[in-house]
């Protein structure tokens, strides 16, 4: 895989988002081999889990977004790598890099198949001329004064068969905008949540202010589940007690205090991510969940 592929970068520059890194053939071959091995390590002997935004995979699993649309500029770059502009200074500065990638195109019966591996690019991968960069050579260190890039031996996401594969959503979303692939409550939804008939939020303005991405995702999951429409406040309180969670109910409403940690616990319970351990009887708050399929 990725034999003799050009090394490309995704840049923040909207005018030319894809650029090719010029390098000698030997270095190009080494990087392609590294990306090939890292891609195999990402998926080989691991279980594929469809991404839904609520599950964090184990080491023997990877996540998948089906029907993922690879940007046209990436496809065009793989079709014609020599037609891609080289990575170089623009107006005296090097463009900011989002990711490094290699890819190959397979054509069969007028059908194109793209296989592309991506590595997110971190700030520390720039070899800046502002630092004293020392390299070992001939039994001593020498100073390298030129700007450079460091490419690691990892792959953060892999596109194949119209699917995007990854193990860390946090890393994958640094390469692509994946906000459309999971539900996150909008500001109007958060406001509507604070006025839900079954909830009594002590300070609606403070709740809306603390509604970060994690809380908004919980609100979206709770809304989509319909739990607040299917159960009364008393029924939810009774179920919470079984999980070791103490909820306050006043006037047939669940009281949501102005405390971020307590908010996380209550929302976690409503999203079925808080439970009592069957052996220790301790109450736990999970950071992900996946429905077990019936045999």
């Amino acid at each position: 895989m990725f034999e003799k592929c050009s090394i490309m970068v995704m840049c923040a520059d909207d005018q030319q988002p894809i650029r090719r890194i010029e390098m000698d053939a030997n270095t190009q071959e080494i990087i392609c081999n590294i990306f090939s091995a890292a891609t195999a390590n990402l998926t080989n002997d691991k279980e594929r889990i469809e991404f839904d935004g609520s599950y964090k995979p184990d080491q023997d699993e990877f996540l998948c977004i089906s029907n993922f649309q690879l940007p046209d500029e990436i496809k065009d770059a793989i079709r014609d790598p020599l037609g891609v502009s080289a990575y170089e200074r623009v107006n005296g500065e090097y463009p900011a890099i989002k990711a490094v990638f290699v890819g190959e195109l397979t054509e069969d019966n007028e059908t194109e198949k793209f296989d592309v591996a991506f590595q997110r690019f971190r700030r520390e991968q720039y070899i800046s001329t502002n630092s004293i960069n020392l390299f070992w050579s001939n039994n001593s260190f020498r100073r390298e004064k030129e700007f450079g890039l460091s490419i690691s031996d990892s792959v953060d996401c892999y596109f194949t068969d119209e699917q995007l594969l990854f193990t860390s959503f946090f890393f994958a979303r640094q390469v692509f905008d994946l906000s459309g692939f999971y539900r996150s409550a909008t500001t109007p939804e958060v406001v509507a949540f604070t006025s839900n008939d079954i909830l009594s939020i002590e300070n609606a303005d403070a709740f809306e202010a603390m509604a970060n991405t994690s809380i908004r995702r919980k609100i979206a999951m709770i809304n989509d589940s319909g739990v607040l429409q299917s159960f009364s406040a008393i029924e939810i309180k009774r179920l919470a007690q079984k999980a070791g969670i103490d909820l306050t109910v006043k006037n047939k409403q669940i009281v949501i205090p102005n405390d971020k940690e307590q908010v996380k616990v209550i929302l976690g319970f409503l999203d079925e991510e808080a439970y009592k351990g069957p052996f220790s009887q301790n109450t736990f708050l999970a950071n992900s969940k996946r429905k077990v399929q019936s045999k």
Side-chain angles (χ1 to χ4, degrees):
M1 183 185 294
F2 304 135
E3 294 182 4
K4 298 180 180 180
C5 289
S6 296
I7 315 302
M8 308 277 192
V9 292
M10 297 171 60
C11 299
D13 184 0
D14 292 335
Q15 299 300 317
Q16 287 189 307
I18 308 299
R19 292 178 178 270
R20 186 183 73 255
I21 299 181
E22 296 280 8
M23 62 184 64
D24 61 83
N26 183 57
T27 303
Q28 179 176 315
E29 181 180 1
I30 291 172
I31 294 176
C32 286
N33 289 338
I34 288 174
F35 270 67
S36 180
T39 299
N41 185 60
L42 182 74
T43 59
N44 282 3
D45 301 319
K46 295 181 180 181
E47 182 182 358
R48 174 187 176 278
I49 306 295
E50 194 69 29
F51 174 76
D52 65 2
S54 64
Y55 181 69
K56 182 179 179 181
D58 292 329
Q59 291 186 347
D60 61 348
E61 299 170 329
F62 65 89
L63 299 173
C64 170
I65 294 178
S66 299
N67 300 316
F68 183 82
Q69 298 298 313
L70 192 68
D72 288 339
E73 56 264 27
I74 294 178
K75 291 182 178 180
D76 290 341
I78 295 172
R79 291 188 185 105
D80 181 23
L82 295 181
V84 178
S85 299
Y87 182 76
E88 58 188 2
R89 283 189 177 91
V90 177
N91 298 324
E93 296 183 355
Y94 288 98
I97 298 175
K98 289 176 55 180
V100 181
F101 70 93
V102 300
E104 62 184 11
L105 169 63
T106 304
E107 296 181 279
D108 183 29
N109 296 327
E110 298 184 354
T111 299
E112 293 182 322
K113 180 179 182 296
F114 292 89
D115 290 281
V116 195
F118 299 87
Q119 175 187 122
R120 76 191 195 284
F121 198 83
R122 305 178 302 281
R123 181 178 299 178
E124 60 267 26
Q125 288 179 258
Y126 291 108
I127 302 176
S128 173
T129 55
N130 295 328
S131 304
I132 304 298
N133 302 305
L134 302 179
F135 291 84
W136 182 257
S137 178
N138 297 324
N139 298 320
S140 67
F141 286 99
R142 62 175 178 80
R143 180 186 180 189
E144 178 55 64
K145 299 180 181 180
E146 297 298 325
F147 171 80
L149 305 174
S150 174
I151 297 177
S152 70
D153 59 355
S154 65
V155 162
D156 293 299
C157 51
Y158 170 49
F159 176 85
T160 184
D161 295 323
E162 308 305 317
Q163 302 175 354
L164 188 69
L165 314 179
F166 53 93
T167 56
S168 169
F169 176 74
F170 178 75
F171 292 157
R173 72 178 185 179
Q174 293 178 40
V175 179
F176 294 107
D177 178 8
L178 301 179
S179 58
F181 293 95
Y182 68 93
R183 280 273 289 125
S184 181
T186 62
T187 297
E189 284 180 297
V190 174
V191 174
F193 188 81
T194 64
S195 59
N196 190 291
D197 291 340
I198 203 174
L199 302 177
S200 175
I201 296 178
E202 289 185 352
N203 188 326
D205 291 338
F207 182 89
E208 293 168 18
M210 75 170 71
N212 56 18
T213 300
S214 176
I215 290 176
R216 285 171 180 259
R217 288 176 65 180
K218 284 281 182 290
I219 292 172
M221 297 292 284
I222 293 166
N223 286 342
D224 291 347
S225 71
V227 63
L228 298 181
Q229 288 73 43
S230 301
F231 297 87
S232 68
I234 296 300
E235 289 172 325
I236 292 173
K237 177 180 174 67
R238 188 179 302 119
L239 293 171
Q241 287 175 333
K242 293 181 179 180
I245 296 172
D246 185 24
L247 294 184
T248 300
V249 174
K250 291 183 179 180
N251 300 322
K252 299 181 180 182
Q253 291 181 309
I254 299 169
V255 176
I256 308 294
N258 186 27
D259 180 281
K260 192 170 186 177
E261 290 307 312
Q262 286 299 309
V263 167
K264 287 182 178 179
V265 172
I266 295 172
L267 295 185
F269 171 72
L270 294 174
D271 188 31
E272 297 187 294
E273 288 191 351
Y275 63 97
K276 178 176 285 188
F279 304 110
S280 68
Q281 295 299 299
N282 291 326
T283 299
F284 297 95
L285 190 64
N287 65 357
S288 70
K289 66 176 183 286
R290 178 164 67 100
K291 183 179 179 181
V292 177
Q293 301 299 322
S294 301
K295 296 292 186 181

